[in-house]
Every structure is written in C-alpha cells, then in structure tokens.
Amino acid sequence: MNSRLLHTSIGGALLLAGFISTNVYAQDSKTDTVIKRGELICGTDNTKPGFGYLNPKTGKLEGFDVDYCHAMAAGILGDGNKVKMIALTDKNRFNALQNGEVDVVFFHTTVTATRATAVGADFLPVNFYDGTGVLVKKADKIAHIADLNGGTICTTQGSTTEAVWADYIKSHKWEKTTQVLTYQDLDKLFAALNGGRCNAMTTDKSALVGWKGNAPKPDDFDILPETISKEPLAGFVRQDDQKWHTALAWIVYALVEAEELGITSKNVAEMAKDPNPDIQRFLGTEGDLGKDFGLAPDFIQKVIAATGNYGEIYDRNVGPSTPYSIARKGSLNDLWTRGGLMYSPPFR
C-alpha cells in the first residue's frame, strides 16, 4: 500500500472511530437522566448482614453494597445521600433493572457468562471475591459437605448457588438421595435452617458469615471448610448505555485507587493540595478527568468524602471490628500490592 493510500486509510479509520465514539456518547444517557432527576435509584438487598441489610434497630439499609450505592450517588450527583434504595430479591433483581425500576444494582451478584449475555447485565468491576459455602447447626455434627449426602440443602431462588448445587449433586451422583429446596430470600432460608426444614443453608460464604455473626447465638452454627465455586461479585447496569457504565465503572475503580494512594475520607481535602501530578489528576485539581466522564471535576473527592476508600468500606461493614470479621489480609480482596486482586487501571 502506498503512503497516500495508507494515510487515507488511517484517516478514515480514525474518522470512523471518532464517529462511533461521538455517536455512542451523543445519545441520551442514564448519566444525564440521573443528574437532571437529582437522585440515583439503586437496587440492593435487605437480607444480607454486612452487605445489604435492613437494620431492625435503626430501620435503615446498611452494608457493603449499600455503601456502593452511596458512592455512586456521590460521584454522579456530588452527594452520597441523594440516593433512593430499592430492596430487591435474587429472583427479581435483573427484571427490576431491565424494566427501568432502578438505575444500577449492587446486590451481592456473581458475574457469569449467562448473565452477561442472555440476561443482559452489563457488569461493573468486581468489588468482592467470594465462593459458595455451607452453614449448618453445630448440634447436627456435620463436619464436611460429604456429610450432606442424603439430606436437605436449602438456598435462594434465582441465585447462582442454586445452579452450583444442581451441578454438584449431579457430578457426585446424589440425585436420588439429596434434596434442594429454594426460598425467596435469606430471611426465609435461615428460618428454614433454624426450624429443621433444612440440614444446611448454602449461599456465598460472606453472606453465611453475616448470618452466623448476626444470629442470637453465633456459636450454635458452623461454616463448613469447603468452598465449592468461585463467585466474583459486582454491581451491574443495563447493556444499552456505555456512558453510564463507564462513569460507574471508574467510580468503582476510584475506591480501590484511593486506598492504594493512601487517600481516605479523613484526609481527602488535604490530599487534594498534594503537588503529586497523579494525585492532582485523580482528585480533579488538574486535568479534564471529570469532564471526560460528564461529571464534576472533583467527583472522586466527593466519592471518597462520602464513603471512604475501598478499605474503609470493607472494614466498616465486614472488617475486624464488625460481628462478621471477614479476613482481608492475604485474601483475594486485598490490594494487588499486598497479594490480592483489588487492582485499578491507571487514572491517566
């Protein structure tokens, strides 16, 4: 190919790329809708202690996923309190999004191929690495999953755990001996275990830790040692809005990047004065980062001030000072600099 044709070809490709990019971002976006509305509508759970839980003492939703709803509101609207929480279930969380009842969902949801294709969920970055586990009553003296052959195992309807157990039972040839019952939510599931309807309650291990820690007598329960699946958890939006997905995805990344940079809810205002160009760009004191997302220049400052960084969210909801005390050090949920998988792409 001669230089003139090469120049024409490259120019055409760049023009096409520019057209595609402009066309995608020119359409009406949920970003603009939410900013005009002045309120984010976020779907979450209200039955998972530590993640999405309606605290009977305060009457308020709280938890890891709930904090992510507040973080998104802070980034988009500049105020973490400008959010309306909608309690969903495992069964209706995807329909609620597709029907437009919510703008985004943070619901302890596993990223899977089927959900990213047939179900139509556009997943945000993973914010918690988990796996399927089993909770049993200590009095039943069940030590391992193998001891459940011939028993009744209970889980939630419409969850990945239901599919995990269908595969596990089939692969271990337990079809004729073992029964699986499903319930609408974890409240009913835990009641079934307590009432003797089930020999075991199964879902993501982090949720089991929450229920055990929140029980009147936590020592009455055991979480079995085995983990029988990988469950990377993430928020999700609809697949028809690249601008919206991009803005929320980078807010998720910002929480991790802030922890890596040592920026917290307590020092974010002071860190905004730091001469380090990476920090200036990240916090919006220099550059066009906010403008590129269609957000305020200091949107990341608002996020960190509202919820703290990833480590602060983790510690506040499931860390060592909580009843759940889910170990982070040495786990997949630690920063990549400490051997974990929490890693943000560069903000440049």
Side-chain angles (χ1 to χ4, degrees), residues 93-102 119-122 237-239:
R93 54 188 152 165
F94 297 104
N95 286 337
L97 183 70
Q98 298 300 342
N99 294 339
E101 297 173 43
V102 295
V119 176
D122 200 1
V237 295
R238 284 170 44 150
Q239 291 183 345

Side-chain angles (χ1 to χ4, degrees), residues 129-133 203-206 227-231:
Y129 290 92
D130 212 335
T132 298
T203 186
D204 298 332
K205 273 196 167 180
S206 60
T227 301
I228 63 171
S229 73
K230 52 186 179 182
E231 307 291 328

Side-chain angles (χ1 to χ4, degrees), residues 37 51 83 101 149 161 169 179 185 236 253 260 262 313:
R37 186 199 299 146
F51 285 85
V83 57
E101 297 173 43
N149 185 13
T161 313
I169 287 172
Q179 184 180 16
D185 55 46
F236 58 96
Y253 286 136
E260 185 178 338
I313 290 174

Side-chain angles (χ1 to χ4, degrees), residues 63-73 106 127 252 255 310 313:
F64 186 92
D65 287 333
V66 173
D67 274 355
Y68 268 82
C69 291
H70 288 296
M72 300 304 116
F106 284 95
N127 62 8
V252 173
L255 294 167
Y310 180 84
I313 290 174

Side-chain angles (χ1 to χ4, degrees), residues 13-323:
L14 291 173
L15 179 63
L16 178 60
F19 169 76
I20 291 172
S21 176
T22 302
N23 187 50
V24 168
Y25 282 90
Q27 65 182 329
D28 290 338
S29 170
K30 182 70 74 174
T31 309
D32 308 306
T33 301
V34 171
I35 290 173
K36 289 177 183 177
R37 186 199 299 146
E39 182 181 60
L40 174 72
I41 304 174
C42 191
T44 190
D45 198 355
N46 64 358
T47 66
K48 288 187 177 72
F51 285 85
Y53 184 60
L54 183 61
N55 189 322
K57 296 179 181 178
T58 65
K60 294 181 179 180
L61 279 171
E62 60 186 29
F64 186 92
D65 287 333
V66 173
D67 274 355
Y68 268 82
C69 291
H70 288 296
M72 300 304 116
I76 301 299
L77 298 168
D79 186 342
N81 293 317
K82 290 184 176 180
V83 57
K84 179 181 180 181
M85 306 286 185
I86 302 293
L88 304 175
T89 66
D90 286 79
K91 196 172 183 179
N92 73 6
R93 54 188 152 165
F94 297 104
N95 286 337
L97 183 70
Q98 298 300 342
N99 294 339
E101 297 173 43
V102 295
D103 302 317
V104 59
V105 178
F106 284 95
F107 187 99
H108 216 256
T109 301
T110 303
V111 181
T112 70
T114 301
R115 288 171 170 175
T117 53
V119 176
D122 200 1
F123 284 99
L124 301 173
V126 173
N127 62 8
F128 197 93
Y129 290 92
D130 212 335
T132 298
V134 175
L135 180 71
V136 296
K137 290 189 288 187
K138 189 173 290 185
D140 291 342
K141 297 182 179 180
I142 297 169
H144 295 282
I145 287 179
D147 299 333
L148 293 171
N149 185 13
T152 300
I153 301 165
C154 292
T155 189
T156 47
Q157 298 169 1
S159 64
T160 54
T161 313
E162 188 176 359
V164 165
W165 272 99
D167 290 345
Y168 188 91
I169 287 172
K170 184 176 181 180
S171 64
H172 287 77
K173 297 181 172 57
W174 289 4
E175 297 100 320
K176 295 181 180 180
T177 58
T178 308
Q179 184 180 16
V180 175
L181 299 180
T182 61
Y183 292 86
Q184 181 178 340
D185 55 46
L186 291 177
D187 276 327
K188 294 181 175 60
L189 188 55
F190 191 65
L193 175 64
N194 259 335
R197 187 68 186 88
C198 308
N199 300 112
M201 167 180 172
T202 179
T203 186
D204 298 332
K205 273 196 167 180
S206 60
L208 297 178
V209 170
W211 274 96
K212 173 179 164 60
N214 212 47
K217 296 181 179 179
D219 290 341
D220 287 352
F221 301 92
D222 281 329
I223 296 175
L224 300 185
E226 296 93 347
T227 301
I228 63 171
S229 73
K230 52 186 179 182
E231 307 291 328
L233 309 178
F236 58 96
V237 295
R238 284 170 44 150
Q239 291 183 345
D240 56 358
D241 195 336
Q242 182 183 346
K243 181 179 178 181
W244 180 237
H245 178 274
T246 300
L248 297 192
W250 282 86
I251 292 172
V252 173
Y253 286 136
L255 294 167
V256 176
E257 182 76 356
E259 183 181 11
E260 185 178 338
L261 293 172
I263 303 171
T264 70
S265 57
K266 293 180 181 179
N267 70 12
V268 62
E270 189 63 29
M271 291 293 284
K273 303 172 187 176
D274 194 298
N276 183 323
D278 286 336
I279 293 176
Q280 289 182 343
R281 183 170 50 248
F282 180 64
L283 294 180
T285 55
E286 294 289 342
D288 295 322
L289 185 65
K291 182 180 178 182
D292 292 341
F293 287 113
L295 304 176
D298 62 348
F299 77 100
I300 291 177
Q301 291 188 51
K302 299 293 188 183
V303 171
I304 305 307
T307 65
N309 61 38
Y310 180 84
E312 288 178 275
I313 290 174
Y314 190 104
D315 286 345
R316 179 167 57 249
N317 292 293
V318 296
S321 63
T322 70

